[in-house]
């Protein structure tokens, strides 16, 4: 299937060092972007679907690198069905599992945590609820896991490991577990901040520096922040990726962004939500954190869109997160919300408003065009002008 999105006002690339792509058109074939720029005169005649963006801003589909995936499109913590589809209506096209710790009665022994990770990975390998790509299967680090276990998991397609919920005596006991998982090529992640489970202590800067996971999960606090002095240490003394989450401490989110800028560490500054949790289900969480960071710092709005897209893609080794030829065709049209004071999506975000979502394309398939179920309406009106496929592009009412 060939899809063309044209008449785009501005294209955010996903690369914070070079945040805009030129042109007004994106061409898609199958699940990939084939060209970005201007459309040849006869392109529309060959396309199966043509979307007129009416001057809206195109951004890469948002990548939420901290979602509490279980099985199916269901969160036991908040007893809600369909949250992933709802997140897609907030512009998120990829959800990365923060480990399957919310599965009721989850196993805690070595064989059990391995089987859980493999099962979760398999359950989402081919299935995209509502169009959402889910990267699931994050083995929960428990004492007793050996390097051979991580080798086996990597062979079976598990790419993630998570420290912070295991039956360890102190967080320092994670050091050999994280090292073994890193050695087998897994992306290691670690709870950061106040204690997460009864009996466990807080995980702070010194623990992170000794463990050196790939990503400090919710470095701003999940939801309780570590000491302020530890942020600079982790940024300066390590290469650990700095994930800030919506369901955490806003003050330390801003602190971390400013320190990442100061120490030229913005390449590893990541935005995520850490939901669904006790904090709730937040379909617009990514858009809120982008707006909070853009409106409360001196940095531009597009910088934080890139932290929510290209930066996450690079750290997690995904083929999405950028609007560029060859990348996955995960594209969101955003705009200034209807009735606001600003003229464009980026101006609205800088102003502190969330962007209105006008269309979401994932894996090359338009999931809806027109109106998101969850954001305010757009000022401009994107619409499908040519369609040769059997599909209704309106958002499913719920
Ligand atoms: Zn979490």
């Amino acid at each position: 299937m060939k899809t063309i999105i044209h008449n785009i006002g501005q294209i955010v690339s996903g690369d914070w060092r070079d945040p805009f792509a030129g042109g007004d058109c994106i061409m898609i074939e199958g699940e990939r972007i084939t060209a970005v720029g201007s459309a040849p005169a006869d392109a529309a005649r060959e396309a199966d679907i043509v979307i007129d963006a009416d001057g809206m801003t195109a951004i890469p589909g948002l990548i939420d690198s901290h979602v509490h995936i279980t099985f199916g499109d269901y969160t036991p913590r908040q007893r809600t069905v369909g949250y992933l589809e709802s997140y897609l209506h907030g512009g998120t096209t990829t959800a990365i599992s923060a480990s399957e710790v919310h599965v009721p009665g989850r196993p805690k022994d070595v064989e059990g945590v391995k089987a859980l990770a493999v099962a979760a990975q398999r359950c989402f390998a081919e299935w995209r609820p509502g169009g959402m790509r889910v990267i699931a299967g994050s083995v929960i680090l428990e004492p007793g896991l050996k390097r051979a276990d991580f080798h086996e998991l990597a062979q079976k397609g598990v790419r993630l490991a998570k420290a912070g919920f295991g039956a360890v005596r102190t967080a320092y006991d994670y050091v050999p577990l994280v090292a073994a998982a890193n050695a087998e090529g897994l992306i290691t992640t670690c709870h950061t901040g106040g204690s997460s489970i009864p009996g466990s202590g807080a995980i702070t800067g010194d623990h992170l520096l000794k463990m050196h996971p790939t990503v400090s999960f919710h470095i701003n606090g999940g939801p309780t922040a570590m000491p302020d002095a530890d942020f600079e240490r982790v940024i300066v003394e390590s290469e650990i990726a700095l994930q800030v989450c919506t369901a955490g401490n806003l003050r330390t989110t801003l602190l971390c962004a400013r320190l990442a800028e100061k120490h030229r560490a913005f390449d590893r500054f990541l935005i995520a939500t850490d939901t669904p949790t006790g904090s709730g289900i937040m379909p617009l969480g990514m858009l809120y954190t982008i707006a909070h960071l853009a409106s409360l710092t001196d940095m531009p709005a597009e910088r934080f869109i890139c932290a929510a897209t290209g930066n996450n893609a690079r750290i997690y080794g995904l083929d999405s997160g950028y609007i560029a030829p060859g990348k996955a065709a995960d594209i969101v049209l955003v705009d200034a919300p209807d009735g606001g004071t600003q003229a464009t999506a980026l101006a609205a975000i800088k102003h502190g408003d969330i962007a209105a979502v006008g269309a979401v394309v994932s894996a090359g398939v338009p999931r809806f065009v027109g109106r998101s179920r969850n954001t305010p309406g757009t000022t401009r009106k994107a619409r499908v002008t040519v369609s040769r496929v059997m599909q209704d592009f309106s958002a499913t009412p719920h």
Side-chain angles (χ1 to χ4, degrees):
M1 188 170 84
K2 286 187 181 177
T3 299
I4 295 178
I5 309 172
H6 73 127
N7 202 8
I8 300 168
Q10 198 162 33
I11 301 174
V12 177
S13 67
D15 176 0
W16 73 272
R17 293 173 185 279
D18 186 13
F20 295 108
D24 66 352
C25 176
I26 301 168
M27 307 224 268
I28 299 164
E29 204 169 327
E31 297 193 1
R32 307 255 151 217
I33 296 169
T34 53
V36 179
S38 50
D42 59 349
R45 232 178 306 136
E46 288 183 16
D48 299 293
I49 300 169
V50 177
I51 299 171
D52 180 346
D54 194 30
M56 284 191 200
T57 301
I59 66 171
L62 302 174
I63 298 171
D64 186 344
S65 55
H66 197 128
V67 181
H68 280 284
I69 300 297
T70 58
F71 288 99
D73 192 354
Y74 172 61
T75 163
R77 186 57 54 97
Q78 294 298 341
R79 299 174 187 174
T80 299
V81 172
Y83 74 99
L84 288 165
E85 187 191 357
S86 190
Y87 279 37
L88 185 121
H89 279 252
T92 299
T93 54
T94 300
I96 303 176
S97 177
S99 82
E100 290 74 30
V101 285
H102 289 184
V103 169
R106 72 159 178 95
K108 296 183 174 156
D109 61 302
V110 164
E111 279 312 310
V113 291
K114 284 166 64 182
L116 176 60
V118 172
Q121 188 273 334
R122 293 290 192 280
C123 282
F124 289 101
E126 302 293 333
W127 180 53
R128 294 173 184 256
M132 179 75 78
R133 171 152 67 156
V134 180
I135 311 291
S138 174
V139 64
I140 302 158
L141 294 180
E142 292 281 2
L145 280 162
K146 300 276 185 293
R147 181 160 170 181
D149 296 309
F150 298 117
H151 181 79
E152 179 193 339
L153 286 165
Q155 294 284 315
K156 289 178 173 169
V158 171
R159 302 182 55 226
L160 307 167
K162 158 83 178 268
F165 287 83
V168 294
R169 282 172 300 113
T170 92
Y172 292 112
D173 292 346
Y174 285 122
V175 172
L177 290 165
V178 169
N182 281 341
E184 291 299 335
L186 296 187
I187 294 165
T188 52
T189 63
C190 180
H191 175 94
T192 307
S195 60
S196 54
I197 52 169
S200 75
I203 296 180
T204 60
D206 197 55
H207 300 110
L208 288 174
L209 290 169
K210 292 210 164 58
M211 252 185 258
H212 211 294
T214 319
V215 184
S216 162
F217 263 178
H218 46 65
I219 192 166
N220 59 315
T224 312
M226 66 178 179
D228 282 5
D230 289 10
F231 285 85
E232 196 149 24
R233 281 194 67 201
V234 172
I235 292 168
V236 172
E237 296 175 31
S238 83
E239 289 297 316
I240 299 169
L242 318 162
Q243 182 197 67
V244 298
C245 288
T246 314
N249 183 316
L250 175 58
R251 189 185 60 79
T252 51
T253 296
L254 301 171
L255 171 71
C256 189
R258 293 189 182 108
L259 287 171
E261 162 84 349
K262 178 180 164 195
H263 294 292
R264 300 175 192 279
F266 200 81
D267 279 328
R268 49 193 167 103
F269 186 82
L270 313 179
I271 293 175
T273 65
D274 188 10
T275 62
T277 48
S279 304
I281 296 164
M282 302 177 76
L284 306 185
M286 295 294 285
L287 294 175
Y288 273 110
T289 295
I290 290 166
H292 293 158
L293 281 159
S295 61
L296 296 173
T297 69
D298 293 334
M299 288 174 254
E302 59 274 16
R303 169 85 67 101
F304 295 107
I305 291 170
C306 296
T309 55
N311 280 7
N312 271 318
R314 205 175 50 257
I315 297 290
Y316 281 89
L318 304 179
D319 64 358
S320 55
Y322 296 91
I323 296 184
K327 293 292 181 181
D330 295 352
I331 296 156
V332 177
L333 295 180
V334 290
D335 196 19
D338 188 32
T341 58
Q342 306 298 307
T344 65
L346 295 181
I349 292 167
K350 189 68 194 165
H351 188 66
D353 291 330
I354 60 158
V357 174
V360 173
V361 175
S362 71
V365 178
R367 307 296 171 170
F368 70 89
V369 177
R371 174 113 203 212
S372 156
R373 254 162 55 195
N374 293 328
T375 70
T378 51
T379 304
R380 297 166 181 82
K381 301 298 169 205
R383 62 194 204 284
V384 175
T385 51
V386 174
S387 175
R388 300 186 222 282
V389 300
M390 291 290 286
Q391 187 185 336
D392 171 13
F393 297 100
S394 58
T396 336
H398 271 244

